[in-house]
Amino acid sequence: MKRMINIALPKGRLGEKAYALFAHAGYDCPELLEENRKLTFENESAGVRYFWVKPSDVAIYVERGAADIGVAGKDILLEYAPDVYELLDLGIGKCRMCVAGPKDFSDSHTGILRVATKFPAIARRHYAAQSREIDVIRLNGSIELAPILGLSDVIVDIVETGKTLAENGLAVLEEIEPISARLIANKAHYKFKGEEIEALRKMLERAVNA
Amino acid sequence: MKPETLTTQERIVFELRELYLGYGYRPYKVGKFEEYDLYMRNKKFLASEQVLTFSDTNGKLKALKPDVTLSIIKNAKDDGRSQKLCYTETVYRVPRNAYGFREILQTGLECIGRVDDYAAGEVLMLAARSLERICERYVLDVSDVGVLSGVLAEEPIGDADCARLLSLVGEKNLHGLSVACAEMGVSQITTERLTKLVSACGPLQETLDRVKLLDLPETSREALAGLRRMSDMLASYGGGNVNLDFSVVNDMDYYNGLVFRGFVEGIPAGILAGGRYDNLLLRMGKHGEAIGFAVYLDQLERLASAKPAYQTEALVLYDDQTDPLEIVRATEELRARGVSFRVQREEEPCPTCREIVRLTKERDA
């Protein structure tokens, strides 16, 4: 008997792009894109059940087994370090995790560096590797504002085109890691639905490379 | 004893103890507290580095145990004789991505002293049978850290890079692996070997046959030969759902040789972890070899087969008019019939039960 694969997709543009890849790979479910109040969407013949969740929650749904697989940005995976398999780079939602700050900023290493970010774990890890003492300022949005108002010296954030930074007199000072969407899987569920998940991964890989 | 008297967790604790005692593993009890220093020195061996500490009356910093193995090794006699021990203990740790300490019941066994092929195979079989007792649908993933370390030893890379590559192997992250290898200047042949090893996973015997065909360094081949001997032993024990999966990676500062992890259907995380840890013994100044595993019992109530621990079969209701002696007579009669019951006042909310014995005025009416 074919076992259904539960898939957590991130709400928003990235999720829609990811779904397009799944559909192209033969795992379509048209009602997913319709305006309705349903929470889960099923294509029984393809053996998949989708649901939309907040992008930062995908990793939690997968790690805790509510979803067998999911699509999560590498930024989320680096920040939360969930205990999951990372099976495929989907090559969508590409951007960079960067240190950014005023264009002419240079770290004098005289005091504690103030770093504003939505990604405290990534910031801590990055500067710990350089033995640099930092003061992490955790923000939930408008990170670019922090160095402009003097709240922080630099920011650690994702940069797509760099346009917002440039418009505010800021620039990328250091690139930490390239980011894109990844296919992740729950480790335990992979043991029991491995065949189905591997078949899906292979088809997705083809769709990504097409 | 009625089967429903035990919770799933209690039943499994008893069944696993019975299994381990049957193979001569001696029950071992450790205290709840341990000197914090033990964990300070072996932080990386712990599943989580956070330890719940307190000052003892003499000012010494103590910890509520986050792990049992370290205490067993610390107290193990270093006389060259083999010891086979089993335990059921509560540990206190912060599970990955959880907010705060949790009390986790674990059971497990350790074989310390001389670990030859028979001893290692016996432990592996007991790990598989432990999972089987918990749920018929289980998977025991097995690897040998020697296979990967043999491949990585061919490259002039530091410990940090090695750890990064192993972490990617642990995620089955092939795309990340090829990017990291390129960044580190790892040779094409090593990158290919790592990729092929991560991709090779499946039933132990069959997958070993496939991996045998790969071009691997001699040290990796020796490790594979060890896995083959384990596979043969498991086959003699009657097999089981044992897979070869090189993504089972443990810290090489502590583990060497065989490593394994167990899963059962219905629980979204690994519930058994173990391996060969001669390096830990060495770090703690002991001689010899060691292998063991732990089964985490905290999630077992999530199993589909888990039933409520105790269902009351009969409800005995009374009110102000009921003679207490009448209640005693009624309940003694139920007890003689082997029926479980709960006595309560009529106005209290009733739990569901199979039979109601009403000793109230309403009955008389």
Side-chain angles (χ1 to χ4, degrees):
Chain A
M1 194 184 77
K2 196 167 185 177
R3 285 159 294 196
M4 295 288 277
I5 310 176
N6 294 306
I7 306 170
L9 289 177
K11 272 184 200 160
R13 213 153 36 108
L14 181 67
E16 284 164 22
K17 277 190 191 170
Y19 169 70
L21 280 175
F22 279 87
H24 192 246
Y27 295 88
D28 62 324
C29 185
E31 62 171 345
L32 188 78
L33 300 175
E34 289 168 11
E35 284 279 326
N36 56 37
R37 286 172 175 271
K38 279 182 80 170
L39 295 172
T40 61
F41 307 88
E42 224 172 272
N43 178 346
E44 215 180 321
S45 61
V48 285
R49 184 181 298 119
Y50 292 99
F51 42 91
W52 296 111
V53 300
K54 199 172 170 185
S56 53
D57 290 342
V58 171
I60 297 168
Y61 275 79
V62 174
E63 186 182 33
R64 301 215 165 217
D68 301 316
I69 60 171
V71 173
K74 184 68 181 173
D75 50 333
I76 302 295
L77 301 178
L78 288 171
E79 180 62 25
Y80 297 109
D83 189 17
V84 295
Y85 289 137
E86 188 182 316
L87 299 178
L88 188 64
D89 183 349
L90 298 175
I92 51 173
K94 282 188 180 172
C95 51
R96 297 167 294 157
M97 182 63 69
C98 296
V99 177
K103 261 185 277 182
D104 50 358
F105 179 83
S106 141
D107 186 2
S108 58
H109 284 256
T110 47
I112 297 171
L113 187 72
R114 294 168 307 151
V115 184
T117 185
K118 255 195 284 189
F119 303 98
I122 297 175
R124 266 193 212 108
R125 218 167 28 234
H126 176 69
Y127 284 103
Q130 300 176 2
S131 307
R132 181 76 176 98
E133 194 180 353
I134 62 165
D135 176 15
V136 174
I137 303 162
R138 168 87 204 252
L139 296 176
N140 294 305
S142 306
I143 314 292
E144 296 88 354
L145 206 54
I148 296 169
L149 299 181
L151 176 62
S152 75
D153 300 311
V154 293
I155 61 172
V156 166
D157 204 9
I158 41 177
V159 178
E160 208 171 331
T161 59
K163 222 174 133 194
T164 320
L165 290 177
E167 279 172 7
N168 290 291
L170 304 173
V172 170
L173 303 173
E174 213 179 331
E175 187 176 315
I176 299 177
E177 186 136 0
I179 304 292
S180 57
R182 310 294 163 94
L183 176 73
I184 57 171
N186 175 280
K187 286 190 172 179
H189 291 192
Y190 184 88
K191 308 294 159 200
F192 302 100
K193 295 181 180 176
E195 261 174 52
E196 290 87 349
I197 294 173
E198 265 310 301
L200 184 146
R201 191 192 67 81
K202 281 187 186 136
M203 296 300 280
L204 262 185
E205 195 171 20
R206 268 188 229 163
V208 169
N209 296 326
Chain B
M1 191 188 293
K2 291 180 183 175
E4 64 266 26
T5 307
L6 298 175
T7 63
T8 307
Q9 198 180 63
E10 287 163 342
R11 175 183 65 77
I12 288 166
V13 166
F14 282 126
E15 285 189 16
L16 296 188
R17 185 177 303 152
E18 193 179 37
L19 175 68
Y20 307 152
L21 293 178
Y23 282 87
Y25 287 75
R26 187 167 58 82
Y28 192 85
K29 182 83 193 147
V30 288
K32 251 190 175 52
F33 315 133
E34 184 65 83
E35 285 186 14
Y36 176 63
D37 194 42
L38 177 67
Y39 307 115
M40 263 301 283
R41 280 184 274 119
N42 298 288
K43 263 191 167 177
K44 280 163 75 186
F45 183 74
L46 304 175
S48 110
E49 288 190 5
Q50 283 155 298
V51 179
L52 205 52
T53 57
F54 64 96
S55 292
D56 208 349
T57 46
N58 58 5
K60 274 204 164 179
L61 194 58
K62 288 274 184 81
L64 277 158
K65 272 193 183 63
D67 166 87
V68 182
T69 306
L70 285 171
S71 303
I72 292 183
I73 301 288
K74 189 185 117 184
N75 299 320
K77 285 194 192 104
D78 199 12
D79 57 5
R81 284 164 61 186
S82 290
Q83 297 174 67
K84 291 183 176 186
L85 310 166
C86 64
Y87 63 85
T88 302
E89 297 283 346
T90 305
V91 295
Y92 303 83
R93 62 167 75 134
V94 182
R96 204 168 159 152
N97 287 338
Y99 299 92
F101 281 93
R102 194 118 20 97
E103 206 177 314
I104 299 167
L105 185 68
Q106 71 175 52
T107 188
L109 58 82
E110 315 285 354
C111 174
I112 306 163
R114 178 94 197 274
V115 181
D116 51 21
D117 276 350
Y118 172 76
E122 183 183 83
V123 169
L124 203 55
M125 170 276 293
L126 287 171
R129 289 196 182 161
S130 300
L131 292 168
E132 197 178 19
R133 298 270 170 121
I134 294 166
C135 176
E136 274 176 22
R137 282 188 53 80
Y138 72 91
V139 169
L140 182 68
D141 278 348
V142 178
S143 179
D144 187 311
V145 292
V147 179
L148 286 171
S149 63
V151 170
L152 292 173
E154 305 254 298
E155 297 293 328
I157 50 171
D159 288 351
D161 283 346
C162 221
R164 188 174 155 210
L165 292 178
L166 285 176
S167 154
L168 290 163
V169 167
E171 293 168 5
K172 291 187 186 280
N173 187 341
L174 293 176
H175 49 277
L177 204 54
S178 73
V179 171
C181 283
E183 275 174 20
M184 292 172 196
V186 169
S187 68
Q188 190 61 33
I189 184 163
T190 297
T191 309
E192 271 176 31
R193 283 168 171 169
L194 289 174
T195 307
K196 284 181 178 160
L197 287 173
V198 175
S199 308
C201 83
L204 184 56
Q205 203 125 17
E206 281 171 52
T207 315
L208 276 173
D209 290 341
R210 273 191 285 133
V211 173
K212 199 180 160 190
L213 305 174
L214 299 179
D215 160 39
L216 292 172
E218 192 46 41
T219 40
S220 301
R221 297 209 154 273
E222 282 168 20
L224 283 174
L227 281 170
R228 168 71 66 187
R229 294 194 295 275
M230 291 301 106
S231 169
D232 292 343
M233 264 188 76
L234 286 174
S236 306
Y237 274 121
N241 304 331
V242 184
N243 282 351
L244 181 63
D245 191 326
F246 293 104
S247 76
V248 183
V249 284
N250 285 0
D251 196 314
M252 288 191 195
D253 286 346
Y254 297 94
Y255 288 93
N256 58 299
L258 203 61
V259 283
F260 44 95
R261 199 155 295 168
F263 303 85
V264 294
E265 195 168 35
I267 296 182
I271 62 159
L272 181 149
R276 176 93 183 233
Y277 54 88
D278 303 355
N279 292 349
L280 173 67
L281 232 63
L282 208 65
R283 286 175 71 107
M284 291 180 72
K286 306 264 174 165
H287 302 89
E289 301 149 334
I291 188 169
F293 64 80
V295 185
Y296 308 107
L297 303 163
D298 54 318
Q299 295 214 57
L300 294 187
E301 299 302 327
R302 293 186 61 177
L303 278 175
S305 59
K307 289 190 188 82
Y310 193 75
Q311 283 174 333
T312 307
E313 289 163 299
L315 191 63
V316 181
L317 299 176
Y318 68 96
D319 59 12
D320 292 339
Q321 310 296 317
T322 318
D323 179 358
L325 293 179
E326 193 185 354
I327 304 175
V328 172
R329 276 195 296 276
T331 53
E332 282 297 292
E333 193 186 306
L334 287 168
R335 206 174 65 86
R337 279 165 49 206
V339 175
S340 63
F341 57 86
R342 175 188 158 102
V343 182
Q344 67 170 54
R345 295 188 66 88
E346 193 198 14
E347 61 272 20
E348 287 171 17
C350 294
T352 50
C353 60
R354 245 183 277 160
E355 189 180 334
I356 293 183
V357 181
R358 208 177 283 275
L359 306 175
T360 59
K361 230 167 42 179
E362 198 184 299
R363 168 209 57 181
D364 299 333

